[in-house]
Amino acid sequence: MSNALEVAANAVRELRPGELVIDASATALPGLADRAISGLDARLMSLFASDEREVAGRFFLHHVWSLPQLKRFLRVIAPIDPAEPSFPSISAKHPAANWFEREVMDLFGLVPTGHPNPARVVLHDDWPERAWALRKDFPAQGAVARVPGDYHPFRPVTGEGVFQVPVGPVHAGIIEPGHFRFGVAGEPVLYLQMRLFYVHKGTEKRFEHLPWRHGVFLAESISGDTVVGHALAFAHAVERLATVTVPPRAQALRTVLLELERIYNHTADIGAVATDVAFTVPASRAQALREGLLRIQDRLFGTRLLRGTIALGGVRHDLTSQGRQVLSAHLRVFATEFDALIALLIDAGTFTDRVDGTGILTHQAARDLGVVGLAARASGVDADLRRDHPHDGYAGVRFEVPVEDGGDVRARLMVRAREVEQSLLILHQVLDAMPDSAIAASMPERLPALASALGWAEAWRGPCTHWVATDTRGEIARVKVTDPSFLNWPGVIQAVPGNIIPDFPVINKSFNLSYSGNDR
């Protein structure tokens, strides 16, 4: 690795199992990014800042790369002098860093020099200047006085017969707010602009004022459909900080919970895609299958959406032998009905006419933008943390990572369908060989002071990562949350042009990104 990165052999240190660290100067960041991608096939998983002026007199910038061939994460850390609050941007060459670097600018006041579009991304137009919410001296309590100003400067329309069609931010139904601005010439969409972050909740700031034992409850509220994924990523980080080993039975049960969350979400989304093309029979069947899963989850774990099942050190609910039999029997019936549902969809020409070739995200665009999870796999990007960075019980089970190369709505639907098949395979393996051990390990009274660790989980939508750092008392000093939607929304912008506005709902649904997880 040191040869590929052109650094001294002792510059790379293994902070924790699977987590490598390099200390670098800010000016070295672009070169290290280039060499990590070209020499190690690295993928940018997160990019963030930390305010450590009280302890070290510096801000720090962190680039987090996945190195799937080495089954390691690499975090490159660079100090930023508060007197010169800027750092060299890598976005022009590596667009995956675009929103990350602008988020650092919005919330820390560190300017990415050379960024091709250094505009606000998280902060809206009425947020005051020089009010950087994630700096330590920004008050966590109290309202921020808003300032009058112009609305978000969308790109103007030009050309005869070209119009803009605004949609949102308030939508029909119960989805959260997001503003979409379509530039159209007749029916075809020329370009799509979007404005998000209407539901920014200050989640990362809130972590800094919670006892670390309570953090798992905040983590599972980041995105209501990814309760297990985010709770696991936070728990993994804290357990690695505390050097706690999760018992084998708890690891197996975590695997069960994460796969159940994947199945019920994928099934609901397949039904929702059918709804958006007015194919109501399979839509209803999918929702009935989802409801059956939620009821069995409620019966076995006491919660329909699996909230409150993950604990620091393990899980909160065991699964008895009878419970495993009940779940296995339900999943066998589910598998038969799910196969019939998929056959009903792909055998219907009226359905495939709407999804084939619709909303194509090319392989190159997905790679360049750093798109992750099922959306990336539908565009031919073969990446999955369950295989590339195994966590919980995944190292001991046999499964495949489905990949499609179409990049369209059908490809994203088929990845979901094939992933459900693999989830069922994983679940039967785990349920048939459940280890006999405790379901949780004891956590220490305190976490180590001035330490940090990365936690990750491949949730149903894609990877969730949490970086947790402690202060001098061993309490939480910083939590960086990366939801897969933050990486994937730019992919929607690329997938829509060339289609017509009536196709946008089904394209958007085929990605099904989280406003709450993105905005945090």
Side-chain angles (χ1 to χ4, degrees):
M1 175 187 293
S2 56
N3 289 337
L5 297 174
E6 299 179 17
V7 298
N10 60 2
V12 183
R13 53 192 171 91
E14 185 159 18
L15 183 66
R16 303 182 188 283
E19 185 179 351
L20 307 176
V21 169
I22 293 179
D23 295 302
S25 65
T27 56
L29 290 173
L32 284 168
D34 293 346
R35 293 190 287 275
I37 292 172
S38 63
L40 299 171
D41 194 28
R43 300 165 185 154
L44 185 66
M45 300 303 296
S46 189
L47 190 159
F48 56 93
S50 56
D51 181 356
E52 302 179 35
R53 288 175 294 169
E54 290 183 2
V55 176
R58 294 285 189 273
F59 295 99
F60 286 88
L61 192 72
H62 309 252
H63 288 187
V64 180
W65 301 93
S66 166
L67 309 177
Q69 296 176 3
L70 302 176
K71 296 190 182 302
R72 299 283 190 279
F73 288 98
L74 172 65
R75 183 160 55 93
V76 182
I77 311 169
I80 307 295
D81 186 348
E84 298 179 15
S86 63
F87 61 92
S89 168
I90 63 171
S91 294
K93 200 167 184 180
H94 309 295
N98 176 12
W99 280 19
F100 283 120
E101 292 185 339
R102 291 161 64 189
E103 183 183 53
V104 168
M105 180 185 67
D106 284 358
L107 301 180
F108 286 89
L110 308 180
V111 179
T113 56
H115 194 293
N117 179 28
R120 289 181 171 187
V121 64
V122 176
L123 300 181
H124 280 209
D125 310 292
D126 58 353
W127 186 265
E129 297 286 347
R130 304 183 64 81
W132 300 300
L134 281 181
R135 287 194 176 191
K136 291 298 184 183
D137 49 10
F138 184 89
Q141 305 295 331
V144 175
R146 301 308 175 97
V147 296
D150 295 332
Y151 291 109
H152 183 68
F154 286 100
R155 183 195 311 168
V157 295
T158 56
E160 184 177 356
V162 179
F163 299 93
Q164 281 195 347
V165 179
V167 175
V170 178
H171 302 278
I174 58 172
I175 65 172
E176 292 180 291
H179 184 88
F180 303 94
R181 189 72 65 98
F182 298 91
V184 298
E187 287 285 345
V189 177
L190 299 177
Y191 58 83
L192 167 65
Q193 301 174 79
M194 64 173 62
R195 188 80 174 104
L196 301 177
F197 298 95
Y198 288 90
V199 288
H200 177 65
K201 303 175 285 293
T203 301
E204 293 178 12
K205 190 78 170 181
R206 180 62 181 141
F207 270 115
E208 298 174 10
H209 298 273
L210 279 181
W212 60 269
R213 291 178 181 277
H214 297 181
V216 70
F217 303 115
L218 181 58
E220 66 181 14
S221 71
I222 291 169
S223 183
D225 53 16
T226 315
V227 165
V228 177
H230 274 296
L232 270 183
F234 179 81
H236 288 159
V238 173
E239 289 155 5
R240 288 162 60 80
L241 263 174
T243 60
V244 166
T245 300
V246 176
R249 189 178 185 88
Q251 292 188 24
L253 288 167
R254 285 177 167 188
T255 304
V256 169
L257 293 165
L258 195 60
E259 294 309 314
L260 287 174
E261 187 171 77
R262 190 182 320 280
I263 293 176
Y264 89 69
N265 273 297
H266 280 357
T267 304
D269 282 348
I270 289 169
V273 168
T275 298
D276 281 343
V277 299
F279 200 4
T280 56
V281 171
S284 298
R285 288 190 181 181
Q287 297 310 322
L289 285 173
R290 174 184 182 269
E291 178 62 22
L293 283 170
L294 299 193
R295 292 184 181 186
I296 203 75
Q297 289 169 184
D298 189 25
R299 177 179 169 188
L300 297 176
F301 300 103
T303 163
R304 285 169 57 85
L305 299 179
L306 304 176
R307 186 178 288 267
T309 54
I310 302 300
L312 296 178
V315 295
R316 296 184 185 279
H317 301 278
D318 201 354
L319 200 53
T320 65
S321 175
Q322 182 182 13
R324 296 202 301 275
Q325 293 175 15
V326 168
L327 182 55
S328 292
H330 183 90
L331 294 177
R332 281 192 289 273
V333 175
F334 175 93
T336 302
E337 296 180 0
F338 185 80
D339 286 345
L341 168 67
I342 299 303
L344 178 62
L345 286 168
I346 63 176
D347 288 347
T350 52
F351 177 75
T352 55
D353 281 349
R354 291 295 308 277
V355 299
D356 287 355
T358 302
I360 295 175
L361 177 66
T362 65
H363 175 78
Q364 190 61 52
R367 292 280 301 186
D368 290 346
L369 294 171
V371 172
V372 295
L374 72 92
R377 294 189 283 275
S379 294
V381 179
D382 187 4
D384 189 319
L385 296 190
R386 296 175 297 172
R387 179 200 60 199
D388 302 337
H389 304 271
H391 55 83
D392 297 303
Y394 288 104
V397 295
R398 174 175 48 84
F399 67 100
E400 297 177 354
V401 176
V403 176
E404 298 276 338
D405 57 11
D408 55 4
V409 173
R410 181 189 180 118
R412 289 185 282 276
L413 183 141
M414 291 309 300
V415 165
R416 283 184 170 88
R418 294 174 61 196
E419 287 191 355
V420 167
E421 294 175 357
Q422 294 301 311
S423 293
L424 293 169
L425 177 65
I426 292 170
L427 282 168
H428 285 302
Q429 291 177 69
V430 175
L431 292 171
D432 290 345
M434 184 68 68
D436 187 12
S437 72
I439 63 168
S442 297
M443 298 296 294
E445 287 297 319
R446 297 177 184 276
L447 295 179
L450 298 176
S452 69
L454 185 69
W456 61 90
E458 182 74 25
W460 68 274
R461 190 181 272 120
C464 298
T465 60
H466 287 217
W467 181 75
V468 179
T470 58
D471 61 15
T472 55
R473 301 167 299 142
E475 293 294 334
I476 288 177
R478 174 88 169 96
V479 175
K480 171 56 188 172
V481 175
T482 305
D483 184 274
S485 297
F486 189 84
L487 287 151
N488 285 2
W489 273 113
V492 177
I493 297 174
Q494 295 297 316
V496 170
N499 296 271
I500 59 177
I501 287 183
D503 280 335
F504 177 68
V506 72
I507 296 171
N508 196 24
K509 178 54 67 179
S510 70
F511 283 88
N512 190 17
L513 304 179
S514 169
Y515 297 86
S516 181
N518 177 77
D519 298 359
R520 290 156 288 127

